[in-house]
PDB file of all heavy atoms in Angstrom:
ATOM      1  N   MET A 295       0.801  -1.209   0.002  1.00 44.00           N
ATOM      2  CA  MET A 295       0.013   0.002  -0.004  1.00 44.00           C
ATOM      3  C   MET A 295       0.852   1.271  -0.002  1.00 44.00           C
ATOM      4  O   MET A 295       0.317   2.361   0.186  1.00 44.00           O
ATOM      5  CB  MET A 295      -0.926   0.003   1.209  1.00 44.00           C
ATOM      6  CG  MET A 295      -1.956  -1.130   1.201  1.00 44.00           C
ATOM      7  SD  MET A 295      -2.840  -1.295   2.763  1.00 44.00           S
ATOM      8  CE  MET A 295      -3.664   0.276   2.876  1.00 44.00           C
ATOM      9  N   ALA A 296       2.160   1.109  -0.151  1.00 68.00           N
ATOM     10  CA  ALA A 296       3.028   2.262  -0.113  1.00 68.00           C
ATOM     11  C   ALA A 296       2.649   3.265  -1.207  1.00 68.00           C
ATOM     12  O   ALA A 296       2.185   2.911  -2.291  1.00 68.00           O
ATOM     13  CB  ALA A 296       4.483   1.821  -0.292  1.00 68.00           C
ATOM     14  N   ALA A 297       2.847   4.554  -0.883  1.00 89.00           N
ATOM     15  CA  ALA A 297       2.452   5.601  -1.806  1.00 89.00           C
ATOM     16  C   ALA A 297       3.316   5.593  -3.050  1.00 89.00           C
ATOM     17  O   ALA A 297       4.534   5.402  -3.003  1.00 89.00           O
ATOM     18  CB  ALA A 297       2.537   6.949  -1.108  1.00 89.00           C
ATOM     19  N   TRP A 298       2.682   5.775  -4.194  1.00 96.00           N
ATOM     20  CA  TRP A 298       3.390   5.916  -5.488  1.00 96.00           C
ATOM     21  C   TRP A 298       4.041   7.297  -5.540  1.00 96.00           C
ATOM     22  O   TRP A 298       3.437   8.266  -5.031  1.00 96.00           O
ATOM     23  CB  TRP A 298       2.370   5.769  -6.615  1.00 96.00           C
ATOM     24  CG  TRP A 298       2.920   6.059  -7.988  1.00 96.00           C
ATOM     25  CD1 TRP A 298       3.443   5.163  -8.866  1.00 96.00           C
ATOM     26  CD2 TRP A 298       2.993   7.344  -8.618  1.00 96.00           C
ATOM     27  NE1 TRP A 298       3.846   5.781  -9.996  1.00 96.00           N
ATOM     28  CE2 TRP A 298       3.584   7.128  -9.896  1.00 96.00           C
ATOM     29  CE3 TRP A 298       2.610   8.613  -8.284  1.00 96.00           C
ATOM     30  CZ2 TRP A 298       3.809   8.180 -10.797  1.00 96.00           C
ATOM     31  CZ3 TRP A 298       2.840   9.663  -9.179  1.00 96.00           C
ATOM     32  CH2 TRP A 298       3.446   9.421 -10.395  1.00 96.00           C
ATOM     33  N   PRO A 299       5.245   7.468  -6.100  1.00 97.00           N
ATOM     34  CA  PRO A 299       6.108   6.433  -6.676  1.00 97.00           C
ATOM     35  C   PRO A 299       7.169   5.949  -5.711  1.00 97.00           C
ATOM     36  O   PRO A 299       7.751   6.736  -4.987  1.00 97.00           O
ATOM     37  CB  PRO A 299       6.723   7.152  -7.854  1.00 97.00           C
ATOM     38  CG  PRO A 299       6.862   8.592  -7.382  1.00 97.00           C
ATOM     39  CD  PRO A 299       5.682   8.828  -6.449  1.00 97.00           C
ATOM     40  N   GLU A 300       7.403   4.661  -5.698  1.00 97.00           N
ATOM     41  CA  GLU A 300       8.455   4.085  -4.837  1.00 97.00           C
ATOM     42  C   GLU A 300       9.765   3.954  -5.567  1.00 97.00           C
ATOM     43  O   GLU A 300      10.809   3.667  -4.935  1.00 97.00           O
ATOM     44  CB  GLU A 300       8.030   2.685  -4.394  1.00 97.00           C
ATOM     45  CG  GLU A 300       6.828   2.624  -3.471  1.00 97.00           C
ATOM     46  CD  GLU A 300       6.546   1.198  -3.074  1.00 97.00           C
ATOM     47  OE1 GLU A 300       5.870   0.470  -3.825  1.00 97.00           O
ATOM     48  OE2 GLU A 300       7.000   0.818  -1.980  1.00 97.00           O
ATOM     49  N   ARG A 301       9.762   4.095  -6.908  1.00 97.00           N
ATOM     50  CA  ARG A 301      10.959   3.880  -7.699  1.00 97.00           C
ATOM     51  C   ARG A 301      10.904   4.843  -8.912  1.00 97.00           C
ATOM     52  O   ARG A 301       9.880   5.480  -9.125  1.00 97.00           O
ATOM     53  CB  ARG A 301      11.074   2.435  -8.102  1.00 97.00           C
ATOM     54  CG  ARG A 301       9.848   1.870  -8.810  1.00 97.00           C
ATOM     55  CD  ARG A 301       9.990   0.363  -9.019  1.00 97.00           C
ATOM     56  NE  ARG A 301       8.754  -0.274  -9.455  1.00 97.00           N
ATOM     57  CZ  ARG A 301       8.353  -0.331 -10.755  1.00 97.00           C
ATOM     58  NH1 ARG A 301       9.094   0.243 -11.699  1.00 97.00           N
ATOM     59  NH2 ARG A 301       7.249  -0.945 -11.070  1.00 97.00           N
ATOM     60  N   PRO A 302      11.949   4.883  -9.717  1.00 98.00           N
ATOM     61  CA  PRO A 302      11.989   5.783 -10.861  1.00 98.00           C
ATOM     62  C   PRO A 302      10.814   5.530 -11.852  1.00 98.00           C
ATOM     63  O   PRO A 302      10.359   4.410 -12.017  1.00 98.00           O
ATOM     64  CB  PRO A 302      13.342   5.498 -11.501  1.00 98.00           C
ATOM     65  CG  PRO A 302      14.194   5.010 -10.385  1.00 98.00           C
ATOM     66  CD  PRO A 302      13.267   4.204  -9.508  1.00 98.00           C
ATOM     67  N   VAL A 303      10.410   6.602 -12.502  1.00 98.00           N
ATOM     68  CA  VAL A 303       9.319   6.540 -13.482  1.00 98.00           C
ATOM     69  C   VAL A 303       9.928   6.865 -14.867  1.00 98.00           C
ATOM     70  O   VAL A 303      10.782   7.758 -15.006  1.00 98.00           O
ATOM     71  CB  VAL A 303       8.243   7.597 -13.152  1.00 98.00           C
ATOM     72  CG1 VAL A 303       7.146   7.608 -14.216  1.00 98.00           C
ATOM     73  CG2 VAL A 303       7.635   7.322 -11.766  1.00 98.00           C
ATOM     74  N   THR A 304       9.492   6.131 -15.854  1.00 98.00           N
ATOM     75  CA  THR A 304       9.921   6.362 -17.241  1.00 98.00           C
ATOM     76  C   THR A 304       8.930   7.304 -17.912  1.00 98.00           C
ATOM     77  O   THR A 304       7.715   7.064 -17.858  1.00 98.00           O
ATOM     78  CB  THR A 304      10.006   5.053 -18.052  1.00 98.00           C
ATOM     79  OG1 THR A 304      11.013   4.214 -17.475  1.00 98.00           O
ATOM     80  CG2 THR A 304      10.345   5.333 -19.499  1.00 98.00           C
ATOM     81  N   LEU A 305       9.436   8.370 -18.529  1.00 98.00           N
ATOM     82  CA  LEU A 305       8.609   9.330 -19.244  1.00 98.00           C
ATOM     83  C   LEU A 305       8.969   9.253 -20.719  1.00 98.00           C
ATOM     84  O   LEU A 305      10.036   9.688 -21.123  1.00 98.00           O
ATOM     85  CB  LEU A 305       8.826  10.729 -18.706  1.00 98.00           C
ATOM     86  CG  LEU A 305       8.040  11.857 -19.371  1.00 98.00           C
ATOM     87  CD1 LEU A 305       6.549  11.699 -19.084  1.00 98.00           C
ATOM     88  CD2 LEU A 305       8.481  13.234 -18.869  1.00 98.00           C
ATOM     89  N   ILE A 306       8.062   8.658 -21.528  1.00 98.00           N
ATOM     90  CA  ILE A 306       8.343   8.454 -22.940  1.00 98.00           C
ATOM     91  C   ILE A 306       7.994   9.703 -23.758  1.00 98.00           C
ATOM     92  O   ILE A 306       6.909  10.277 -23.569  1.00 98.00           O
ATOM     93  CB  ILE A 306       7.550   7.242 -23.482  1.00 98.00           C
ATOM     94  CG1 ILE A 306       8.091   5.940 -22.834  1.00 98.00           C
ATOM     95  CG2 ILE A 306       7.682   7.136 -24.992  1.00 98.00           C
ATOM     96  CD1 ILE A 306       7.264   4.732 -23.150  1.00 98.00           C
ATOM     97  N   VAL A 307       8.897  10.117 -24.601  1.00 97.00           N
ATOM     98  CA  VAL A 307       8.654  11.207 -25.563  1.00 97.00           C
ATOM     99  C   VAL A 307       8.673  10.610 -26.965  1.00 97.00           C
ATOM    100  O   VAL A 307       9.684  10.017 -27.358  1.00 97.00           O
ATOM    101  CB  VAL A 307       9.729  12.289 -25.435  1.00 97.00           C
ATOM    102  CG1 VAL A 307       9.568  13.347 -26.543  1.00 97.00           C
ATOM    103  CG2 VAL A 307       9.637  12.993 -24.070  1.00 97.00           C
ATOM    104  N   PRO A 308       7.571  10.680 -27.703  1.00 95.00           N
ATOM    105  CA  PRO A 308       7.510  10.020 -29.009  1.00 95.00           C
ATOM    106  C   PRO A 308       8.224  10.729 -30.160  1.00 95.00           C
ATOM    107  O   PRO A 308       8.132  10.287 -31.273  1.00 95.00           O
ATOM    108  CB  PRO A 308       5.978  10.009 -29.329  1.00 95.00           C
ATOM    109  CG  PRO A 308       5.297  10.434 -28.078  1.00 95.00           C
ATOM    110  CD  PRO A 308       6.273  11.271 -27.329  1.00 95.00           C
ATOM    111  N   TRP A 309       8.948  11.794 -29.848  1.00 91.00           N
ATOM    112  CA  TRP A 309       9.598  12.574 -30.878  1.00 91.00           C
ATOM    113  C   TRP A 309      11.081  12.784 -30.505  1.00 91.00           C
ATOM    114  O   TRP A 309      11.490  12.546 -29.381  1.00 91.00           O
ATOM    115  CB  TRP A 309       8.903  13.928 -31.083  1.00 91.00           C
ATOM    116  CG  TRP A 309       7.447  13.740 -31.414  1.00 91.00           C
ATOM    117  CD1 TRP A 309       6.395  13.883 -30.567  1.00 91.00           C
ATOM    118  CD2 TRP A 309       6.900  13.307 -32.659  1.00 91.00           C
ATOM    119  NE1 TRP A 309       5.222  13.580 -31.190  1.00 91.00           N
ATOM    120  CE2 TRP A 309       5.487  13.234 -32.510  1.00 91.00           C
ATOM    121  CE3 TRP A 309       7.447  13.002 -33.897  1.00 91.00           C
ATOM    122  CZ2 TRP A 309       4.636  12.860 -33.517  1.00 91.00           C
ATOM    123  CZ3 TRP A 309       6.592  12.623 -34.943  1.00 91.00           C
ATOM    124  CH2 TRP A 309       5.204  12.549 -34.725  1.00 91.00           C
ATOM    125  N   SER A 310      11.862  13.211 -31.457  1.00 89.00           N
ATOM    126  CA  SER A 310      13.297  13.312 -31.311  1.00 89.00           C
ATOM    127  C   SER A 310      13.745  14.315 -30.266  1.00 89.00           C
ATOM    128  O   SER A 310      13.020  15.287 -29.958  1.00 89.00           O
ATOM    129  CB  SER A 310      13.963  13.666 -32.643  1.00 89.00           C
ATOM    130  OG  SER A 310      13.654  12.708 -33.627  1.00 89.00           O
ATOM    131  N   ALA A 311      14.956  14.123 -29.742  1.00 89.00           N
ATOM    132  CA  ALA A 311      15.578  15.039 -28.815  1.00 89.00           C
ATOM    133  C   ALA A 311      15.794  16.371 -29.487  1.00 89.00           C
ATOM    134  O   ALA A 311      16.150  16.422 -30.689  1.00 89.00           O
ATOM    135  CB  ALA A 311      16.867  14.474 -28.281  1.00 89.00           C
ATOM    136  N   GLY A 312      15.619  17.449 -28.744  1.00 83.00           N
ATOM    137  CA  GLY A 312      15.866  18.777 -29.279  1.00 83.00           C
ATOM    138  C   GLY A 312      14.673  19.527 -29.765  1.00 83.00           C
ATOM    139  O   GLY A 312      14.712  20.743 -29.924  1.00 83.00           O
ATOM    140  N   GLY A 313      13.534  18.847 -29.987  1.00 82.00           N
ATOM    141  CA  GLY A 313      12.329  19.486 -30.426  1.00 82.00           C
ATOM    142  C   GLY A 313      11.524  20.040 -29.255  1.00 82.00           C
ATOM    143  O   GLY A 313      11.878  19.863 -28.085  1.00 82.00           O
ATOM    144  N   GLY A 314      10.394  20.672 -29.583  1.00 86.00           N
ATOM    145  CA  GLY A 314       9.559  21.274 -28.565  1.00 86.00           C
ATOM    146  C   GLY A 314       8.974  20.276 -27.607  1.00 86.00           C
ATOM    147  O   GLY A 314       8.877  20.503 -26.397  1.00 86.00           O
ATOM    148  N   THR A 315       8.527  19.118 -28.136  1.00 91.00           N
ATOM    149  CA  THR A 315       7.943  18.087 -27.285  1.00 91.00           C
ATOM    150  C   THR A 315       9.003  17.540 -26.316  1.00 91.00           C
ATOM    151  O   THR A 315       8.709  17.329 -25.127  1.00 91.00           O
ATOM    152  CB  THR A 315       7.338  16.949 -28.145  1.00 91.00           C
ATOM    153  OG1 THR A 315       6.364  17.494 -29.026  1.00 91.00           O
ATOM    154  CG2 THR A 315       6.676  15.916 -27.260  1.00 91.00           C
ATOM    155  N   ASP A 316      10.191  17.322 -26.821  1.00 93.00           N
ATOM    156  CA  ASP A 316      11.277  16.842 -25.983  1.00 93.00           C
ATOM    157  C   ASP A 316      11.635  17.860 -24.903  1.00 93.00           C
ATOM    158  O   ASP A 316      11.801  17.512 -23.727  1.00 93.00           O
ATOM    159  CB  ASP A 316      12.506  16.545 -26.855  1.00 93.00           C
ATOM    160  CG  ASP A 316      13.687  16.041 -26.053  1.00 93.00           C
ATOM    161  OD1 ASP A 316      13.632  14.927 -25.540  1.00 93.00           O
ATOM    162  OD2 ASP A 316      14.700  16.808 -25.933  1.00 93.00           O
ATOM    163  N   ALA A 317      11.702  19.126 -25.291  1.00 92.00           N
ATOM    164  CA  ALA A 317      12.111  20.184 -24.349  1.00 92.00           C
ATOM    165  C   ALA A 317      11.082  20.307 -23.218  1.00 92.00           C
ATOM    166  O   ALA A 317      11.437  20.376 -22.038  1.00 92.00           O
ATOM    167  CB  ALA A 317      12.252  21.519 -25.069  1.00 92.00           C
ATOM    168  N   THR A 318       9.802  20.347 -23.579  1.00 95.00           N
ATOM    169  CA  THR A 318       8.766  20.485 -22.557  1.00 95.00           C
ATOM    170  C   THR A 318       8.665  19.243 -21.720  1.00 95.00           C
ATOM    171  O   THR A 318       8.453  19.334 -20.510  1.00 95.00           O
ATOM    172  CB  THR A 318       7.402  20.823 -23.195  1.00 95.00           C
ATOM    173  OG1 THR A 318       6.999  19.790 -24.102  1.00 95.00           O
ATOM    174  CG2 THR A 318       7.447  22.153 -23.926  1.00 95.00           C
ATOM    175  N   GLY A 319       8.836  18.068 -22.343  1.00 97.00           N
ATOM    176  CA  GLY A 319       8.784  16.813 -21.576  1.00 97.00           C
ATOM    177  C   GLY A 319       9.892  16.707 -20.558  1.00 97.00           C
ATOM    178  O   GLY A 319       9.685  16.275 -19.445  1.00 97.00           O
ATOM    179  N   ARG A 320      11.080  17.141 -20.959  1.00 97.00           N
ATOM    180  CA  ARG A 320      12.220  17.094 -20.043  1.00 97.00           C
ATOM    181  C   ARG A 320      12.053  18.069 -18.873  1.00 97.00           C
ATOM    182  O   ARG A 320      12.443  17.775 -17.731  1.00 97.00           O
ATOM    183  CB  ARG A 320      13.540  17.334 -20.789  1.00 97.00           C
ATOM    184  CG  ARG A 320      13.916  16.168 -21.669  1.00 97.00           C
ATOM    185  CD  ARG A 320      15.241  16.372 -22.426  1.00 97.00           C
ATOM    186  NE  ARG A 320      15.452  15.211 -23.315  1.00 97.00           N
ATOM    187  CZ  ARG A 320      15.975  14.053 -22.935  1.00 97.00           C
ATOM    188  NH1 ARG A 320      16.343  13.887 -21.688  1.00 97.00           N
ATOM    189  NH2 ARG A 320      16.119  13.065 -23.788  1.00 97.00           N
ATOM    190  N   MET A 321      11.501  19.252 -19.177  1.00 98.00           N
ATOM    191  CA  MET A 321      11.262  20.201 -18.099  1.00 98.00           C
ATOM    192  C   MET A 321      10.235  19.630 -17.117  1.00 98.00           C
ATOM    193  O   MET A 321      10.409  19.706 -15.890  1.00 98.00           O
ATOM    194  CB  MET A 321      10.778  21.533 -18.687  1.00 98.00           C
ATOM    195  CG  MET A 321      10.354  22.544 -17.630  1.00 98.00           C
ATOM    196  SD  MET A 321      11.613  22.918 -16.379  1.00 98.00           S
ATOM    197  CE  MET A 321      12.779  23.912 -17.336  1.00 98.00           C
ATOM    198  N   ILE A 322       9.157  19.070 -17.629  1.00 98.00           N
ATOM    199  CA  ILE A 322       8.152  18.465 -16.760  1.00 98.00           C
ATOM    200  C   ILE A 322       8.746  17.346 -15.933  1.00 98.00           C
ATOM    201  O   ILE A 322       8.515  17.221 -14.729  1.00 98.00           O
ATOM    202  CB  ILE A 322       6.941  17.960 -17.582  1.00 98.00           C
ATOM    203  CG1 ILE A 322       6.094  19.174 -18.009  1.00 98.00           C
ATOM    204  CG2 ILE A 322       6.104  16.966 -16.812  1.00 98.00           C
ATOM    205  CD1 ILE A 322       4.983  18.829 -18.979  1.00 98.00           C
ATOM    206  N   GLY A 323       9.565  16.508 -16.560  1.00 98.00           N
ATOM    207  CA  GLY A 323      10.173  15.381 -15.855  1.00 98.00           C
ATOM    208  C   GLY A 323      11.064  15.865 -14.716  1.00 98.00           C
ATOM    209  O   GLY A 323      11.010  15.308 -13.600  1.00 98.00           O
ATOM    210  N   SER A 324      11.853  16.881 -14.985  1.00 98.00           N
ATOM    211  CA  SER A 324      12.768  17.388 -13.919  1.00 98.00           C
ATOM    212  C   SER A 324      12.001  17.996 -12.754  1.00 98.00           C
ATOM    213  O   SER A 324      12.368  17.818 -11.582  1.00 98.00           O
ATOM    214  CB  SER A 324      13.753  18.403 -14.508  1.00 98.00           C
ATOM    215  OG  SER A 324      13.086  19.595 -14.889  1.00 98.00           O
ATOM    216  N   LEU A 325      10.884  18.681 -13.077  1.00 98.00           N
ATOM    217  CA  LEU A 325      10.089  19.299 -12.014  1.00 98.00           C
ATOM    218  C   LEU A 325       9.275  18.279 -11.230  1.00 98.00           C
ATOM    219  O   LEU A 325       9.073  18.373 -10.027  1.00 98.00           O
ATOM    220  CB  LEU A 325       9.188  20.400 -12.564  1.00 98.00           C
ATOM    221  CG  LEU A 325       9.933  21.598 -13.207  1.00 98.00           C
ATOM    222  CD1 LEU A 325       8.949  22.574 -13.817  1.00 98.00           C
ATOM    223  CD2 LEU A 325      10.774  22.301 -12.136  1.00 98.00           C
ATOM    224  N   LEU A 326       8.772  17.240 -11.928  1.00 98.00           N
ATOM    225  CA  LEU A 326       8.052  16.159 -11.222  1.00 98.00           C
ATOM    226  C   LEU A 326       9.016  15.406 -10.283  1.00 98.00           C
ATOM    227  O   LEU A 326       8.631  14.956  -9.233  1.00 98.00           O
ATOM    228  CB  LEU A 326       7.449  15.191 -12.235  1.00 98.00           C
ATOM    229  CG  LEU A 326       6.141  15.653 -12.925  1.00 98.00           C
ATOM    230  CD1 LEU A 326       5.770  14.649 -13.989  1.00 98.00           C
ATOM    231  CD2 LEU A 326       5.031  15.807 -11.892  1.00 98.00           C
ATOM    232  N   GLU A 327      10.270  15.265 -10.726  1.00 98.00           N
ATOM    233  CA  GLU A 327      11.269  14.606  -9.913  1.00 98.00           C
ATOM    234  C   GLU A 327      11.455  15.355  -8.588  1.00 98.00           C
ATOM    235  O   GLU A 327      11.512  14.762  -7.508  1.00 98.00           O
ATOM    236  CB  GLU A 327      12.583  14.530 -10.674  1.00 98.00           C
ATOM    237  CG  GLU A 327      13.677  13.765  -9.955  1.00 98.00           C
ATOM    238  CD  GLU A 327      14.887  13.523 -10.851  1.00 98.00           C
ATOM    239  OE1 GLU A 327      14.689  13.274 -12.064  1.00 98.00           O
ATOM    240  OE2 GLU A 327      16.016  13.593 -10.331  1.00 98.00           O
TER     241      GLU A 327
END
């Protein structure tokens, strides 16, 4: 019953590194961390 997350989470970006989706996804990932 331990609260999520207990371990690292994978955040998939369906587009290449360097684009807008990648940039916003990485920012969100770092802030969620």
